[in-house]
Structures are given as C-alpha cells and as structure tokens.
Amino acid sequence: MKFENMEIWKRSARLSAELYKALADCKDFGFKDQITRSGLSVPSNIAEGSERSSVKDFIRFLQYAKGSCGELRTQIYIGIDIGYIEQTQGNAWVNETREISAMLVGFINSLEKN
C-alpha cells in the first residue's frame, strides 16, 4: 500500500504543513523547532514504516508516529497556554491529533490481526 494513498498519512501531512504555516513568524525558535519537528515526525514515520520490508517494522513505525502525535498534542496545549497558538486553532489541532492517534491505533490493530 502506498503511503500517499493512506488517509492517515494525508491528514497528518496536512496538519504538519498547517503548523509550519501558522508558526512561520514565531520568534521562539526553540518552541517552533520542537513543535514542527514532532508534527513532521507523524507522517514521516508512517511513510518510513510503509516502505519497510515487514509488517512488524511497519507497526513499530506506526507506534513511533503515535508517540509523536502525543508529543505534538502536548506542545499544542503548551502553545495555547503561553499564547503562541490561538485557542480555537489549538483546539482544532488537538482534536485532529486525537483523531489521527485513534486512526493509528485502529491501523496497528488491523495489521496485528493479519
């Protein structure tokens, strides 16, 4: 299965791009670097895992993506609290990370069953 055709990859890549655009003018380079890295890690791990030679490896990279999704959600909460991320936008991103995380769990479970 091509990762480019996976809805979970498309959604996480779109979220990563949104983060980069929204934080382009953020002067706190440490925060910006960290949150964009964790956001970029989600679709990157999905893609890397899909290119691996075994289902076991794919699952491992999907688990990495899920971990990055939790890291990203934490950073979004902090970004809201410190005023770097507007509340409404941040809440939308939090919800998207929750949905992506749930999709990852479902995908991992389906791969483990087969």
Side-chain angles (χ1 to χ4, degrees), residues 23-37:
L23 296 168
D25 295 330
C26 180
K27 300 295 186 232
D28 184 337
F29 297 108
F31 178 82
K32 181 168 71 171
D33 182 61
Q34 189 65 39
I35 195 168
T36 54
R37 280 176 184 260

Side-chain angles (χ1 to χ4, degrees), residues 7-9 11 98-108:
E7 188 62 26
I8 194 169
W9 178 83
R11 285 178 68 171
R98 284 187 181 134
E99 289 181 24
I100 289 168
S101 192
M103 291 171 75
L104 285 163
V105 169
F107 194 25
I108 290 166

Side-chain angles (χ1 to χ4, degrees), residues 45-58:
N45 277 301
I46 294 167
E48 184 172 353
S50 75
E51 295 289 324
R52 295 290 175 141
S53 58
S54 73
V55 173
K56 184 178 178 182
D57 279 345
F58 192 10

Side-chain angles (χ1 to χ4, degrees), residues 49-76:
S50 75
E51 295 289 324
R52 295 290 175 141
S53 58
S54 73
V55 173
K56 184 178 178 182
D57 279 345
F58 192 10
I59 290 170
R60 185 164 34 93
F61 279 87
L62 292 173
Q63 290 168 336
Y64 295 155
K66 187 174 181 319
S68 293
C69 205
E71 181 181 1
L72 173 59
R73 188 162 48 254
T74 296
Q75 292 159 356
I76 293 167

Side-chain angles (χ1 to χ4, degrees), residues 71-90:
E71 181 181 1
L72 173 59
R73 188 162 48 254
T74 296
Q75 292 159 356
I76 293 167
Y77 283 130
I78 292 167
I80 293 167
D81 286 347
I82 61 178
Y84 289 176
I85 298 171
E86 189 272 323
Q87 183 81 43
T88 304
Q89 179 65 76

